[in-house]
Amino acid sequence: MKAALDVTEQLRLLRENYAQQLPAKLAQIEHAFRQRDNMLELTNLRHLAHSLAGSGATFGYPALSVAARQLETLVDAALCDGRPLNPTEGDCAARLIEALGREARKPMVPAPTPSLPASNVPEAERKLIYLVEDDAALATDLMLQLGHFGYIVKSFESPKQLLETPVDPLLAAVLMDIVFPQGDLAGPEAIIQLSIVRQLRTPVIFFSSRNDLTARLAVARAGGAAYLVKPIDVGALIARLDSLITDLPPEPYRVLIVDDNGPLASHNAVTLQSIGISTDIVTDPMTILAHLDDFKPDLVLMDMYMPGCTGAELAAVIRQLHNYVLVPIVYLSTETDTDRRLIAMQLGADDFLTKPITPEHLVSAVSTRLRRYRVLRSHIEQDSLTGLLNHAATKDRLATETARAARQQAVFCVAVLDLDHFKNVNDTYGHLIGDGVLKNLAELLKRRLRRTDIVGRIGGEEFVVILPDTDAKQALALLNELRDAFSLVRQRANRNLTFTTTFSCGIAEFELGLNASDILRLADQALYQAKQAGRNRVALANLDEGKAAEARILVSE
């Protein structure tokens, strides 16, 4: 509710600011009209009318939008013929400008409270797990294993203890054994009781050495989300947890708003931000390339007519960029001419939204496009085994991050990870078990790294981690922590056999003058040194003074 009130207040302030700026906007229109025999001023008049047509209704002046749209159409017809306004058109334009003044002096139409869907981004990521298990050794082991993947585990020896404990609001899931001294189905019975008394909303994963229909039916009747047979494969458990904890916040959608009408761009940005969408505003279309590199939008929401270039021309430029061939471009404009719309769409846009637009309609149209794009991008960029970025996508992200860091003089690090003696794992246990090891490492990286970090699989057992805004010292500490955690994860070969494995890592820190290939090569050289030094190590490549192509390796065990 607080977020909804904040959005309403922000929109109210934007409407008030718009009303205060209207006299100045009308003065600009009158000045351009007085100079209408000058074709540059006539072009400016069309642009000013276009701006009011698109924004007036949004800010509580619907009749002003109508008059401004008529003025824009009138002036546009003359400009298309390459001539100034004739006397009849001039008289009509003067009447429309007078109408704009009258409408601007009227009280703004009260805005309805926008009925926007609630944001699905929680305040904090939930990692708390309740574990109910009377085998102390198994409970301790599970707590340690889950801890390696970033979960916080609270253990209970009996269902009774769980029932007597208030449910933590940050609880993400419950892991419950089935058999206890209190009964062979005491676990499912306790969950049913807890659900009735406290309305338990979190998923419950049951586990047991039992694998009979009676136990499985009891779990189904208790609403169990999953059933695992002991001994528990931690990799399978982590995969189930990640699939069931649906409120973990996804990477926020990013929308780049390109509109020289600043107040209207801000209004649309606030509307989209209210549902958790991150926005960036470009009011000068000539600066869009820097915004694309820095912001990396999932969708571009763009006006059709702006000073310097049209939206259609800008769309054509965006489509020239390899990384933005598939990014949706949606026009938000007052343009209603069908032929112009078709031409604009042919140059690279995906959709047309007509100004003015209600917040609900804007959210619905943009969200639909964003979801489709994310699905399409995941199919193209994801490694099919681990769900991480594939080789090509990782290289693209590294190039983008390198360009951003060079432009902003920022710091970042690249780490190359390689599993130690992985061929022996495949030869000893089989490729299916080897795939499980790769997936476990991928899960650990996804769980333990920040959402801003970029993780990809670039080869059979080789991974790349890109750490924005992270220096070499911080990266070294982080990767050593991950290395230690992974070395303690028990990989399961079969019901009775487990083993552990390790990885080696090389880290390189970006410095001005390096390109993406340079920094990846330096990280690879550091990885080689870590392997040579005995494996299960992290090596840091530092550039020697005056030797930008060579590396001095610091190895950390």
Side-chain angles (χ1 to χ4, degrees), residues 253-327:
Y253 292 127
R254 297 182 298 275
V255 173
L256 183 65
I257 301 173
V258 186
D259 196 329
D260 63 304
N261 187 328
L264 184 59
S266 297
H267 183 281
N268 293 332
V270 169
T271 298
L272 296 175
Q273 290 165 11
S274 70
I275 62 163
I277 294 175
S278 179
T279 63
D280 186 23
I281 294 175
V282 178
T283 54
D284 179 1
M286 306 309 290
T287 65
I288 191 171
L289 293 180
H291 286 267
L292 288 172
D293 287 341
D294 292 341
F295 189 60
K296 298 182 284 292
D298 297 309
L299 182 144
V300 179
L301 184 66
M302 186 159 52
D303 192 12
M304 267 288 291
Y305 299 108
M306 296 171 289
C309 65
T310 67
E313 292 170 336
L314 211 55
V317 170
I318 293 172
R319 292 298 185 229
Q320 295 170 4
L321 306 174
H322 171 72
N323 290 341
Y324 294 96
V325 171
L326 297 176
V327 170

Side-chain angles (χ1 to χ4, degrees), residues 3-20:
L5 290 175
D6 288 344
V7 171
T8 301
E9 178 64 12
Q10 290 181 67
L11 295 179
R12 184 188 66 79
L13 291 174
L14 286 171
R15 286 163 65 90
E16 289 183 356
N17 289 336
Y18 184 85
Q20 293 171 3

Side-chain angles (χ1 to χ4, degrees), residues 57-362:
T58 298
F59 292 101
Y61 297 92
L64 184 142
S65 270
V66 173
R69 176 57 180 158
Q70 292 173 350
L71 178 61
E72 178 192 4
T73 303
L74 180 70
V75 175
D76 184 63
L79 288 172
C80 288
D81 292 338
R83 59 174 176 79
L85 297 177
N86 60 41
T88 301
E89 291 169 333
D91 290 342
C92 184
R95 289 193 296 272
L96 288 171
I97 291 173
E98 289 176 3
L100 290 177
R102 288 195 302 273
E103 296 302 330
R105 289 189 292 272
K106 292 180 180 179
M108 70 174 68
V109 177
T113 301
S115 177
L116 300 174
S119 170
N120 59 357
V121 181
E123 292 183 2
E125 182 173 333
R126 303 197 299 174
K127 296 182 178 181
L128 178 62
I129 303 293
Y130 282 177
L131 170 63
V132 189
E133 170 58 62
D134 60 340
D135 183 331
L138 176 59
T140 300
D141 181 71
L142 278 176
M143 290 175 67
L144 289 173
Q145 294 294 312
L146 290 170
H148 300 325
F149 289 86
Y151 285 104
I152 301 168
V153 183
K154 183 175 182 179
S155 180
F156 302 86
E157 293 182 358
S158 68
K160 183 174 182 291
Q161 284 186 351
L162 176 66
L163 290 170
E164 293 173 348
T165 302
V167 176
D168 193 305
L170 294 181
L171 179 64
V174 176
L175 305 181
M176 171 69 78
D177 200 350
I178 293 177
V179 180
F180 290 91
Q182 293 82 7
D184 289 346
L185 299 174
E189 291 168 356
I191 292 300
I192 291 173
Q193 185 177 349
L194 185 62
S195 299
I196 294 173
V197 175
R198 298 183 188 168
Q199 297 181 332
L200 183 67
R201 301 297 185 189
T202 52
V204 180
I205 297 177
F206 289 93
F207 55 90
S208 177
S209 56
R210 294 180 61 175
N211 195 19
D212 56 276
L213 182 59
T214 300
R216 289 185 174 275
L217 280 173
V219 166
R221 289 163 181 163
Y227 189 112
L228 300 178
V229 178
K230 293 180 179 179
I232 296 175
D233 183 337
V234 174
L237 175 58
I238 293 297
R240 294 298 293 171
L241 283 171
D242 283 348
S243 67
L244 290 170
I245 302 174
T246 56
D247 64 348
L248 291 180
E251 179 186 0
Y253 292 127
R254 297 182 298 275
V255 173
L256 183 65
I257 301 173
V258 186
D259 196 329
D260 63 304
N261 187 328
L264 184 59
S266 297
H267 183 281
N268 293 332
V270 169
T271 298
L272 296 175
Q273 290 165 11
S274 70
I275 62 163
I277 294 175
S278 179
T279 63
D280 186 23
I281 294 175
V282 178
T283 54
D284 179 1
M286 306 309 290
T287 65
I288 191 171
L289 293 180
H291 286 267
L292 288 172
D293 287 341
D294 292 341
F295 189 60
K296 298 182 284 292
D298 297 309
L299 182 144
V300 179
L301 184 66
M302 186 159 52
D303 192 12
M304 267 288 291
Y305 299 108
M306 296 171 289
C309 65
T310 67
E313 292 170 336
L314 211 55
V317 170
I318 293 172
R319 292 298 185 229
Q320 295 170 4
L321 306 174
H322 171 72
N323 290 341
Y324 294 96
V325 171
L326 297 176
V327 170
I329 298 175
V330 177
Y331 291 127
L332 182 58
S333 178
T334 58
E335 181 60 69
T336 57
D337 184 274
T338 302
D339 291 337
R340 290 183 180 180
R341 283 191 171 207
L342 288 174
I343 293 172
M345 298 283 281
Q346 289 169 1
L347 290 174
D350 298 276
D351 204 354
F352 239 107
L353 302 177
T354 303
K355 295 179 181 178
I357 186 170
T358 65
E360 294 84 359
H361 185 192
L362 178 65

Side-chain angles (χ1 to χ4, degrees), residues 486-553:
F486 185 70
S487 69
L488 298 173
V489 173
R490 285 205 315 280
Q491 317 290 338
R492 185 163 294 280
N494 55 49
R495 287 181 59 84
N496 301 312
L497 177 63
T498 62
F499 64 96
T500 58
T501 188
T502 60
F503 68 75
S504 298
C505 175
I507 298 173
E509 180 180 322
F510 170 76
E511 291 190 12
L512 289 176
L514 296 179
N515 60 31
S517 297
D518 292 333
I519 191 169
L520 190 60
R521 186 183 71 253
L522 288 169
D524 257 331
Q525 291 173 0
L527 171 63
Y528 176 78
Q529 293 296 328
K531 293 279 191 182
Q532 291 293 104
R535 294 182 169 83
N536 191 22
R537 287 167 168 78
V538 178
L540 177 63
N542 283 343
L543 294 180
D544 286 329
E545 291 184 9
K547 296 182 180 180
E550 298 181 6
R552 173 169 49 88
I553 307 298

